[in-house]
Amino acid sequence: MKYQLKIYCKTTALADLRSFLQTTLSELKLSDKDRHQLTLAVEEVCANLIIHSHQCNGYDQIKLEVKESPDKLIFEITDKGKAFNLLDYEVPDLKKVISEKRKGGLGIILVKTIMDEIEFESNRGKNTCRLIKWF
């Protein structure tokens, strides 16, 4: 099975993304915990793209494809914004984040904790991030 959604790069589109993911994932045999965690991880990546790569411009688009196979789910997120490679992300010092009472900067840690594999590629201005969860 393959499911697809395109959203514009504005934070209000995250509600549509969340709704799409909840509907799509409810069709699969997943626990509530898995559905919520997967939604959180995909939403975090898309929110970062909307905010940091596209500056919430409202006209660029992000495409999400959810591909199901018997043993895994693949979330393929594609855009044409400023490339950000999750694999190059350096985990911040949590003690420093707490002491500075800084908001943000921890979402990618969450994505890496929830997902089993993360792949990233950029080719001719098209960026693709694959989040893979094995079952």
Side-chain angles (χ1 to χ4, degrees):
M1 245 337 139
K2 185 167 102 172
Y3 306 88
Q4 185 172 275
L5 173 75
K6 287 184 182 179
I7 58 171
Y8 285 98
C9 292
K10 52 187 179 180
T11 55
T12 55
L14 293 172
D16 295 333
L17 173 70
R18 200 174 309 110
S19 177
F20 167 80
L21 287 168
Q22 288 298 317
T23 301
T24 301
L25 296 176
S26 70
E27 295 177 15
L28 309 176
K29 293 178 179 164
L30 300 173
S31 70
D32 285 345
K33 179 183 174 186
D34 285 337
R35 276 198 307 276
H36 292 301
Q37 286 184 343
L38 294 170
T39 298
L40 183 62
V42 173
E43 185 177 4
E44 178 64 28
V45 171
C46 291
N48 281 344
L49 289 174
I50 288 169
I51 295 165
H52 301 294
S53 294
H54 297 275
Q55 292 74 45
C56 303
N57 65 28
Y59 55 85
D60 289 340
Q61 287 188 320
I62 293 172
K63 181 171 113 178
L64 169 65
E65 287 187 46
V66 181
K67 301 173 184 178
E68 176 194 15
S69 71
D71 56 352
K72 66 183 171 183
L73 273 175
I74 301 171
F75 300 87
E76 192 168 279
I77 303 162
T78 307
D79 79 316
K80 293 183 179 181
K82 181 180 172 190
F84 172 75
N85 187 340
L86 272 136
L87 303 174
D88 292 338
Y89 172 77
E90 290 189 31
V91 176
D93 179 348
L94 293 179
K95 289 180 184 177
K96 186 175 180 182
V97 171
I98 292 167
S99 71
E100 294 175 353
K101 298 180 182 175
R102 193 172 84 202
K103 292 182 181 178
L106 301 177
I108 300 303
I109 296 171
L110 193 65
V111 173
K112 288 184 168 190
T113 301
I114 293 169
M115 293 302 186
D116 296 315
E117 293 178 44
I118 298 172
E119 299 174 355
F120 183 85
E121 64 186 57
S122 187
N123 187 11
R124 298 180 188 220
K126 179 181 172 185
N127 308 308
T128 303
C129 176
R130 275 180 217 86
L131 305 174
I132 301 165
K133 184 68 174 179
W134 290 88
F135 293 102

